Amino acid sequence: MNRDVRRSATRGLVASSTLGALIVAGSRNLDHFDAALVAYTFSILFATFGLTYRYSMWLSRPPTALYWRRGWQAFFRRGLLIRHAGQLLSRIGLDVLGNRFIVRRGQLRGLTHLLIMWGCIIAVAITFPLVFGWLHFSPVPGDLTRYEAVVFGFRAFRFPHDSTLAFFLFHGLVWASFLVIAGVMLAMRRRMREGGAAALQRFAEDFMPLVLLFAVSVTGLMLTASYTWMKGYGFTFISILHAVTVIGTFLWLPFGKFFHVFQRPAQLGVGFYKDVGRLEEKAHCRRCGHAFTSRMHVLDLIEVERKLGYRYEIAAGEVEHYQWICPPCRRASFVMAQGLLWRGHRGGSSLPCAEALLPMPTFANRGLGEGPLDSEDAENFHP
Amino acid sequence: MPVPETFEFFIDAGRCIGCQSCIQACAECDTHKGQSMIQLDYVDRARSTQTLPVVCMHCDSPTCAEVCPADAIKRTEDGVVQTARKPRCIACNNCVLACPFGVPKMNTRMNLMMKCDMCHDRTSVGLKPMCASVCPSQALAFGTREEMAKLRPRSKPVNTFQFGAQTIRTKVNVMVPADAQREFVDVTAAMHEPTIGHEVLDDVFGAEVRA
């Protein structure tokens, strides 16, 4: 067992033990812990171990480790912390909670993700505290018309049990499942109709999560239908079926597509890294002389590539490392190398350049979507 | 479905006439609708019409995937290095800057790296990639080695490239002379090669021409 595996397993055990301790504390020594939900609890504890283990292993990869560190360093950069704190809140709101970047990929796609994401957030916010015994409702002593919500053993708020608030609160999982089912249907529709999606998708990676979410939502709704309109018909069987789908989903969390939920916040750190890079010294291509990214980014990539075993060092000349060549000049070098082999076979001749640096290649078509895709491509490719 | 093993991609940039058909066709690919992934540049627009058509070379050991902190770039069992997986890509720009061929593009607004995936929706069902299907000079060609040998007896495909001390092998081939001594293309050795073309006289009816 190597060091990373041992360290990740230890972190996983610490995380699941901490959650176990919080369950004991939050349910007041299991006084408010519902024993019927013990299978859910253990599946979440396992998922916590698995997620922490995988996250830790992911962080041990050279590029992830470096950018994790750099992201935090960039965020806490002296003189920029207040600005970064404001940007953090704004980006969490717009990108994480509002899915702005997904809406830009496609409005229907954005709606699909928003429905699934918010359905899951609502469901998790309700079920986890209930399963852990962190939240329970009890009648207000001496007033049987009102309920009291108790959070982590502390009285939180009271409400009439026949109020609209109570109706919405006690049916929270129903609303959540409506959102999830609508989102899953839209996602399935896209996966079945789009040729591009059909070519790239895999069952385990792309369909399995949708099937699991659908199964959880539908069996959950069946429970509500059973006790509301069918006098509890088949309730025991449905509750076992629901438990199986939910536990299956939890166990799948660390392995499949759901892991992106935990990876995704890394984009916030990357944003600060790139912001700081724009304020710093630029890297200049050693073929054409134009600036194309931050010097810090080039140096970091050289370090990552060395750790990964790549040897892009160039022994002769002033270039030193291929990473100092901008992307357009790499394309030019690649094609010129092929052309060099044809020298003497085909017509044309080299047109010597009087300048010390060669001119930078330019896009044949700079139209939107045909050359650079966005402002960052403009920096990368300096069209 | 995997891309059939017998079908391969062949690039011969020397045949490119810069017509931009590939750019337009690429934008019609289902996996990145409306956005062209092919890279077509002029080497030195002021002095030559030489153009550089570059598609993803689909490396055996893709640097873009290895340097990806989010593990978003996957290589399929048939050797196609796919565009970034949308849920994972965090738009760090590493792949764009690390690709030795300068291929990936970054769509910052979508937080997404995008690149050529060899029209997997087409090639996996036996069709040619969009660019190769429209290229009039077949600078971008897709077919079997036997077809290429028959069509271009003076060429041979090579898929090994040298970048400094690093050797990269790719799924996509480039065409080199059949009698080339080396079985690889030394990219960094050609890094400072100027463009290829013909000297153009300012006065086409000048003394040199009349003489």
Side-chain angles (χ1 to χ4, degrees):
Chain A
M1 198 189 285
N2 70 33
R3 193 166 144 262
D4 288 335
V5 172
R6 271 201 309 276
R7 191 169 55 188
S8 300
T10 308
R11 285 173 177 168
L13 283 172
V14 168
S16 43
S17 306
T18 306
L19 179 61
L22 284 171
I23 290 171
V24 173
S27 61
R28 298 291 163 113
N29 283 330
L30 304 181
D31 276 357
H32 303 295
F33 184 80
D34 187 345
L37 303 176
V38 72
Y40 290 101
T41 308
F42 277 98
S43 67
I44 294 170
L45 286 171
F46 174 80
T48 305
F49 171 81
L51 286 168
T52 313
Y53 176 85
R54 185 169 172 195
Y55 199 88
S56 176
M57 286 301 284
W58 176 58
L59 280 187
S60 66
R61 294 180 65 238
T64 322
L66 181 74
Y67 292 103
W68 167 267
R69 206 169 64 238
R70 285 280 185 268
W72 287 110
Q73 285 170 348
F75 181 75
F76 288 110
R77 177 64 62 96
R78 194 173 295 168
L80 296 174
L81 184 58
I82 294 172
R83 189 165 83 182
H84 282 171
Q87 284 175 335
L88 179 69
L89 291 175
S90 152
R91 287 173 186 173
I92 287 176
L94 291 169
D95 284 330
V96 179
L97 302 179
N99 289 182
R100 177 175 60 174
F101 63 99
I102 305 177
V103 174
R104 284 173 176 163
R105 293 176 187 176
Q107 289 185 344
L108 198 57
R109 196 173 184 142
L111 175 67
T112 304
H113 196 270
L114 279 169
L115 287 168
I116 295 177
M117 185 187 85
W118 280 105
C120 290
I121 288 176
I122 292 169
V124 164
I126 293 170
T127 48
F128 277 42
L130 285 173
V131 167
F132 297 159
W134 293 349
L135 168 68
H136 70 275
F137 300 97
S138 56
V140 175
D143 182 1
L144 293 178
T145 64
R146 290 200 299 162
Y147 265 134
E148 186 171 65
V150 183
V151 180
F152 231 74
F154 300 101
R155 293 191 186 99
F157 59 97
R158 295 175 173 184
F159 54 94
H161 64 69
D162 56 353
S163 62
T164 310
L165 174 68
F167 178 78
F168 276 99
L169 213 54
F170 292 142
H171 291 83
L173 289 177
V174 172
W175 319 132
S177 64
F178 284 165
L179 295 179
V180 171
I181 288 171
V184 167
M185 290 293 100
L186 286 172
M188 283 285 193
R189 176 182 177 273
R190 190 181 78 83
R191 296 211 165 272
M192 286 185 211
R193 288 164 61 106
E194 277 194 16
L200 302 176
Q201 65 205 5
R202 309 275 179 95
F203 180 79
E205 183 73 9
D206 299 304
F207 279 100
M208 189 70 173
L210 295 175
V211 170
L212 284 170
L213 289 176
F214 183 75
V216 169
S217 305
V218 167
T219 53
L221 283 181
M222 283 162 67
L223 282 173
T224 307
S226 169
Y227 70 70
T228 309
W229 297 303
M230 300 168 75
K231 298 178 182 174
Y233 178 78
F235 192 87
T236 308
F237 170 73
I238 300 169
S239 63
I240 291 170
L241 191 63
H242 183 63
V244 168
T245 59
V246 173
I247 290 167
T249 306
F250 287 150
L251 298 182
W252 186 249
L253 275 179
F255 306 106
K257 191 174 193 169
F258 293 130
F259 189 67
H260 83 271
V261 175
F262 305 93
Q263 278 182 316
R264 197 76 230 174
Q267 92 180 48
L268 297 168
V270 159
F272 294 119
Y273 177 73
K274 290 201 285 194
D275 288 347
V276 167
R278 283 191 193 97
L279 300 174
E280 293 200 338
E281 188 187 350
K282 289 282 179 192
H284 289 266
C285 173
R286 294 184 180 176
R287 182 180 180 273
C288 70
H290 286 78
F292 65 106
T293 186
S294 68
R295 185 179 160 79
M296 169 177 74
H297 203 159
V298 169
L299 290 171
D300 284 344
L301 265 173
I302 290 174
E303 184 188 333
V304 165
E305 285 170 2
R306 280 185 185 144
K307 282 185 179 166
L308 291 167
Y310 285 104
R311 295 287 172 263
Y312 284 110
E313 289 83 0
I314 300 169
E318 294 172 358
V319 174
E320 294 174 13
H321 196 282
Y322 195 57
Q323 203 56 59
W324 292 110
I325 302 295
C326 72
C329 283
R330 290 179 196 195
R331 299 195 286 271
S333 305
F334 162 52
V335 172
M336 295 314 299
Q338 188 234 1
L340 204 56
L341 293 170
W342 282 99
R343 185 173 285 173
H345 293 75
R346 286 176 170 168
S349 57
S350 285
L351 300 177
C353 182
E355 307 295 325
L357 293 166
L358 290 168
M360 74 178 182
T362 47
F363 270 113
N365 188 331
R366 303 179 199 184
L368 186 65
E370 290 166 341
L373 295 183
D374 212 332
S375 59
E376 202 159 351
D377 265 1
E379 292 171 24
N380 295 329
F381 303 147
H382 42 69
Chain B
M1 268 196 299
V3 178
E5 270 182 35
T6 49
F7 285 92
E8 294 184 52
F9 205 117
F10 304 91
I11 302 179
D12 188 347
R15 299 170 75 102
C16 180
I17 55 171
C19 69
Q20 301 187 23
S21 299
C22 53
I23 293 183
Q24 304 306 326
C26 182
E28 290 184 26
C29 181
D30 257 348
T31 53
H32 48 83
K33 292 180 205 75
Q35 287 167 322
S36 187
M37 294 296 113
I38 195 157
Q39 301 274 13
L40 184 69
D41 305 87
Y42 289 110
V43 192
D44 183 350
R45 189 68 184 104
R47 299 193 304 146
S48 168
T49 54
Q50 187 184 10
T51 42
L52 318 167
V54 180
V55 297
C56 176
M57 298 297 286
H58 300 282
C59 306
D60 285 356
S61 169
T63 313
C64 60
E66 293 285 342
V67 300
C68 175
D71 207 10
I73 304 169
K74 298 291 179 192
R75 185 172 174 270
T76 59
E77 58 275 13
D78 53 354
V80 173
V81 181
Q82 293 184 326
T83 193
R85 294 205 63 96
K86 291 181 180 68
R88 291 192 185 181
C89 180
I90 54 173
C92 68
N93 213 21
N94 267 9
C95 51
V96 177
L97 297 173
C99 169
F101 299 98
V103 167
K105 293 184 177 184
M106 179 55 63
N107 197 327
T108 318
R109 280 170 55 80
M110 294 186 187
N111 267 14
L112 185 65
M113 172 278 253
M114 301 176 83
K115 74 166 192 66
C116 150
D117 50 16
M118 213 198 260
C119 286
H120 205 263
D121 55 326
R122 293 173 58 83
T123 49
S124 59
V125 293
L127 296 171
K128 290 183 178 190
M130 293 300 285
C131 56
S133 68
V134 299
C135 181
S137 62
Q138 285 295 281
L140 305 168
F142 190 77
T144 64
R145 283 186 174 245
E146 291 70 31
E147 283 170 355
M148 289 307 285
K150 201 172 160 186
L151 288 167
R152 302 186 195 171
R154 294 193 301 138
S155 309
K156 69 177 177 184
V158 164
N159 70 341
T160 307
F161 303 89
Q162 198 65 36
F163 299 91
Q166 182 65 43
T167 305
I168 296 285
R169 286 194 180 76
T170 62
K171 183 177 173 67
V172 175
N173 306 283
V174 298
M175 303 306 285
V176 301
D179 58 358
Q181 299 296 309
R182 290 185 309 209
E183 290 299 316
F184 65 93
V185 178
D186 193 345
V187 176
T188 36
M191 219 163 26
H192 299 294
E193 277 296 311
T195 188
I196 295 171
H198 298 279
E199 286 293 353
V200 178
L201 300 173
D202 286 333
D203 179 1
V204 292
F205 300 110
E208 297 89 338
V209 174
R210 282 195 295 272

